[in-house]
Amino acid sequence: MDKATSAGTKPWLAVGQEVTELLERIDPSAFSEVVDAFRDTRRRWFFSGQGRSGLAAQMAAMRFMHLGRNVHFVGEVTAPSIRSGDGLLIISGSGETPVSLSYAKIAKSEGAVVVTLTHKPNGTLAKIADVVLPIPVNETKQFGGSLFEQSSLLALDAAVLEIAGTLEDPHQTMAYRHTNLQ
């Protein structure tokens, strides 16, 4: 009986165990590159992903906004056009989603930095991106891309935590932005 099955009547432990085991395999250098990309407080950031990856990207975008980053979600009516000096973060498990590839190509042609989280580090999107954080999904008992999306969000939460450590009072700062900037 494998570890996930041994969780028996506690499926939440099986999910947590899968996520923990995946996060242990995150490449620390690739993670640091993502954190470094977000350290530039002047850069406007655009987030994107399709389907459930898009939902994870929206949650991450809000967290980076709470850090004080200038953040937009691609496709929202208030999002400006991406330009030189901006950044685009795309979450795409396959790294082959046509819409995401199109966004990455447009961003690169405008001179923006492209960051991607994908479980296909040799895929088309990874080849376009400046920074790639592989999310090493092997097998999972969960359905669809659940493990990828959960782990992508947690990796980006960890990046927020890393950057928040440089703020004078991160909890107060983020709480203020959460309550007063919505």
Side-chain angles (χ1 to χ4, degrees):
M1 182 179 289
D2 64 28
K3 293 178 185 177
T5 308
S6 67
T9 60
K10 297 180 181 175
W12 55 91
L13 294 178
V15 169
Q17 189 166 8
E18 280 193 351
V19 169
T20 298
E21 289 172 1
L22 184 147
L23 292 175
E24 287 173 352
R25 296 191 311 272
I26 293 284
D27 177 353
S29 324
F31 175 79
S32 290
E33 286 185 49
V34 171
V35 171
D36 288 345
F38 277 95
R39 288 197 192 277
D40 184 349
T41 58
R42 297 163 298 165
R43 179 175 284 153
R44 293 186 311 171
W45 278 99
F46 295 80
F47 284 68
S48 183
Q50 306 309 306
R52 295 182 313 189
S53 292
L55 295 174
Q58 287 179 1
M59 288 187 281
M62 182 171 277
R63 286 148 166 80
F64 280 96
M65 180 274 296
H66 290 149
L67 272 179
R69 299 307 185 265
N70 185 350
V71 176
H72 305 279
F73 192 79
V74 176
E76 292 293 324
V77 296
T78 58
S81 296
I82 197 163
R83 295 290 179 245
S84 179
D86 291 339
L88 171 64
L89 180 131
I90 300 175
I91 300 177
S92 174
S94 71
E96 302 295 335
T97 308
V99 172
S100 295
L101 293 175
S102 178
Y103 289 161
K105 289 174 186 173
I106 290 167
K108 288 294 282 192
S109 73
E110 290 294 330
V113 171
V114 177
V115 175
T116 189
L117 279 68
T118 181
H119 67 84
K120 302 286 184 171
N122 297 316
T124 306
L125 183 58
K127 290 176 182 160
I128 296 169
D130 300 290
V131 177
V132 178
L133 179 57
I135 303 297
V137 175
N138 291 335
E139 1 181 309
T140 178
K141 296 206 180 290
Q142 296 183 60
F143 295 100
S146 294
L147 180 59
F148 170 76
E149 293 127 12
Q150 294 156 353
S151 301
S152 293
L153 178 59
L154 290 174
L156 291 170
D157 276 347
V160 167
L161 182 62
E162 182 78 13
I163 294 166
T166 64
L167 301 175
E168 189 173 318
D169 188 348
H171 292 285
Q172 183 178 14
T173 300
M174 292 177 83
Y176 173 81
R177 288 191 179 108
H178 178 75
T179 343
N180 297 305
L181 298 179
Q182 291 182 7

